[in-house]
Amino acid sequence: MKIMSPLNLKLWLFILLGASGNAVATDGTTDIAKSYPKQYKTWEATQEQSEREDVLANNPRNVILWAGSSYAKEYHTPRGHQFAVADVSHTLRTGVAPKAVEKGLSASCWTCKTPDAPRLIGELGFEGYAAKNFTDLGTEIKNVVYCSDCHESGSEKLTLPRPHARDAMAKIHQPFEQQSATVQGAQVCGQCHVTYYFRPEKSNVVNIPWIFGNTADDIEKYYDTRRFYEWIHPISKTPMLKARHPEYEHWNRSKHAELGVTCVTCHMPEAIDENGKVFTNHKVDKALPYFKSSCKGCHSSQEKMAQRLTDLKHEINAKAKDVEELLVKAHYEAKAAWGAGATWEQMNDAIMDIRHSQWRWDFAMSSHGIYAHNPEEGKQLLNKAIEQAKSARSSLSKILRQLKVEHVYYPDISSKAKAQQAVGIDEAELVREKKAFIEEEINKHWDPVTQRGY
């Protein structure tokens, strides 16, 4: 065990010490570090996964596509589970405490970041919890993703402590209690690695929109039937949808799923300790470095597999770029049409094509690793998105001709800064406000776990 700095030691004591002051797990039943030392040590090692990339800087087109939503302010690739609480605390997307007359961001944003969320749901009720502001519950959050997020108290038995996940699995006729341990393992990951939205009519409780099924088409049908949208795009006036990392959905229809290969198989492979005993590696990580334990049963060559994944990633990214370029132009062409006096009757088909195209693009590209999880579905989604974006632009072209619009303005979005300027985002001001909130509230009053990695 490595020697910890005083701050880290204090942090781990917060995790290990329950309300009674004894060395117990967050579920308050047993000393997990002693009972499951190998699992605990590898779980602890997710601190090593500290690197991340600025998605908006890497691809400024995202700023335009997500304009009007918090995703246009900041979006980074995810880090290890140890940073889940700190990252959601610090991101510009969660902002600062609302003013007295403002509603603010729902506490539902904590739901997948900490085992304190199921505890608070139990104490406040699902709607009571969701009705709270995100910042209201900051002082209650003391633990990162932990054993009790996946296991019953002090045991290896799997569980789904989040009500929205239990409901969702029942919707697709896969109730958790009736599944094999293998499928349950995937469902445990699917509590959070799944797309969702907040139900405004139910105090913003987390909901997984699977009433008709969990394909992009099924979820789109659900949203369209409910006439639901998350925001109105400020450029094109399109009622927008947002996909959020639908890894479970893509896996659920993949060849891996057909063969019984799950998230756990690839990302938490079996390991052998110094005594020759087998245990599950809880350093949730990329699969390829563990080729021999994760992949060799089906794939003969690590080199060929790595090259295949690289090729698929390039192919999917190229298709995604085509969609993005089409949609950026479509948003601005719609703006030009509105400015020239277009009516909703004229614009309906184009606007719906933008909505549906961007939904499929987002459903593919917000899924981390779709090129590995389900590349065929990813390509199908993007091909359809290209078709719909082209249809939108074709409709808009006719409208612009009818309205005698000869020129459409497309801003320079060659950098994140320029793209944010184009949509009216002052990142410097947002950073200043967030920094002040962090210094005055998070650093002084929230648990040290909310500051990890910063």
Side-chain angles (χ1 to χ4, degrees):
M1 181 70 72
K2 62 186 179 183
I3 298 175
M4 298 182 184
S5 69
L7 176 60
N8 281 335
L9 179 58
K10 181 181 179 183
L11 189 61
W12 285 109
L13 287 174
F14 268 106
I15 291 175
L16 289 175
L17 295 181
S20 65
N22 297 318
V24 296
T26 49
D27 56 17
T29 58
T30 186
D31 187 343
I32 297 296
K34 291 181 179 179
S35 300
Y36 302 98
K38 301 301 179 184
Q39 290 86 344
Y40 183 89
K41 187 175 182 179
T42 52
W43 165 81
E44 182 184 7
T46 60
Q47 285 192 91
E48 298 168 10
Q49 301 158 348
S50 59
E51 294 183 3
R52 62 179 186 172
E53 296 181 10
D54 187 335
V55 174
L56 302 181
N58 290 345
N59 183 4
R61 292 185 294 274
N62 286 320
V63 174
I64 305 301
L65 300 183
W66 292 329
S69 80
S70 61
Y71 286 84
K73 299 176 183 177
E74 180 180 350
Y75 188 80
H76 284 85
T77 53
R79 300 196 288 174
H81 279 163
Q82 298 290 347
F83 303 101
V85 169
D87 282 346
V88 76
S89 300
H90 283 67
T91 180
L92 296 177
R93 298 214 306 271
T94 54
V96 301
K99 297 177 182 178
V101 295
E102 297 176 345
K103 168 58 183 156
L105 192 68
S106 170
S108 287
C109 288
W110 288 115
T111 304
C112 281
K113 307 300 182 183
T114 170
D116 289 306
R119 171 181 65 80
L120 290 166
I121 290 171
E123 293 174 4
L124 301 171
F126 201 12
E127 286 194 52
Y129 158 80
K132 293 283 188 180
N133 286 323
F134 174 80
T135 53
D136 288 344
L137 297 184
T139 56
E140 292 284 340
I141 307 303
K142 304 180 186 299
N143 303 285
V144 296
V145 178
Y146 194 66
C147 310
S148 58
D149 283 308
C150 308
H151 299 279
E152 289 189 0
S153 299
S155 77
E156 299 176 11
K157 187 175 180 181
L158 295 170
T159 186
L160 284 183
R162 289 164 175 78
H164 71 270
R166 295 195 296 270
D167 293 345
M169 297 307 168
K171 288 176 188 174
I172 58 171
H173 309 294
Q174 295 177 7
F176 181 76
E177 296 77 12
Q178 298 177 21
Q179 306 309 305
S180 67
T182 298
V183 175
Q184 285 183 339
Q187 290 183 333
V188 164
C189 299
Q191 292 182 93
C192 299
H193 292 268
V194 66
T195 200
Y196 62 90
Y197 78 107
F198 297 167
R199 294 184 66 183
E201 76 280 13
K202 295 279 284 184
S203 303
N204 287 323
V205 299
V206 180
N207 188 42
I208 298 177
W210 290 355
I211 285 180
F212 298 118
N214 65 6
T215 68
D217 289 352
D218 290 334
I219 298 173
E220 177 186 86
K221 178 182 176 182
Y222 170 83
Y223 285 142
D224 285 355
T225 300
R226 293 174 61 83
R227 291 178 171 82
F228 174 81
Y229 59 89
E230 296 208 30
W231 78 98
I232 299 295
H233 200 285
I235 298 170
S236 66
K237 296 187 181 180
T238 302
M240 301 303 298
L241 303 173
K242 182 75 185 75
R244 294 172 175 86
H245 44 70
E247 287 90 32
Y248 185 87
E249 292 94 324
H250 292 305
W251 166 82
N252 194 51
R253 290 180 291 278
S254 69
K255 292 180 181 179
H256 282 140
E258 291 177 10
L259 296 171
V261 177
T262 72
C263 330
V264 175
T265 311
C266 298
H267 299 286
M268 299 175 64
E270 288 187 346
I272 301 175
D273 66 17
E274 61 273 15
N275 299 317
K277 293 183 178 180
V278 176
F279 70 98
T280 301
N281 185 346
H282 280 60
K283 184 184 178 183
V284 184
D285 207 347
K286 295 178 180 178
L288 201 56
Y290 301 98
F291 178 85
K292 291 182 179 179
S293 54
S294 297
C295 314
K296 197 172 182 180
C298 299
H299 300 275
S300 59
S301 167
Q302 183 171 355
E303 291 72 23
K304 289 182 179 179
M305 182 178 172
Q307 186 58 54
R308 174 63 175 157
L309 290 173
T310 298
D311 293 343
L312 286 168
K313 188 174 184 178
H314 287 165
E315 183 180 1
I316 287 174
N317 285 345
K319 288 182 182 294
K321 182 180 178 182
D322 289 343
V323 181
E324 293 157 11
E325 290 178 343
L326 288 166
L327 283 173
V328 167
K329 290 180 179 178
H331 280 297
Y332 279 98
E333 287 158 1
K335 179 181 181 180
W338 289 119
T343 66
W344 275 106
E345 288 76 15
Q346 287 176 295
M347 295 289 283
N348 183 73
D349 289 348
I351 291 301
M352 290 303 288
D353 275 336
I354 292 174
R355 169 181 168 95
H356 293 158
S357 174
Q358 187 158 325
W359 163 248
R360 283 171 178 75
W361 162 80
D362 215 346
F363 197 79
M365 301 311 292
S366 289
S367 178
H368 307 303
I370 192 171
Y371 60 93
H373 297 154
N374 197 336
E376 294 308 314
E377 181 167 316
K379 288 185 280 187
Q380 291 169 6
L381 286 166
L382 294 170
N383 286 337
K384 184 65 175 178
I386 290 171
E387 177 186 324
Q388 291 170 319
K390 286 181 176 178
S391 176
R393 294 195 68 203
S394 177
S395 297
L396 288 166
S397 177
K398 293 177 183 177
I399 296 168
L400 291 170
R401 286 198 300 272
Q402 292 170 0
L403 298 173
K404 297 181 171 32
V405 176
E406 297 181 356
H407 175 73
V408 175
Y409 172 69
Y410 305 107
D412 178 2
I413 59 169
S414 57
S415 69
K416 171 184 168 181
K418 290 179 179 179
Q420 289 184 327
Q421 182 180 13
V423 300
I425 292 177
D426 185 344
E427 185 185 38
E429 177 62 16
L430 292 175
V431 169
R432 185 194 65 77
E433 292 176 353
K434 187 73 178 193
K435 184 177 179 181
F437 178 73
I438 291 169
E439 291 176 350
E440 293 302 315
E441 180 63 24
I442 294 178
N443 291 350
K444 291 182 179 180
H445 304 295
W446 294 16
D447 191 273
V449 75
T450 64
Q451 302 159 38
R452 180 173 295 168
Y454 288 90

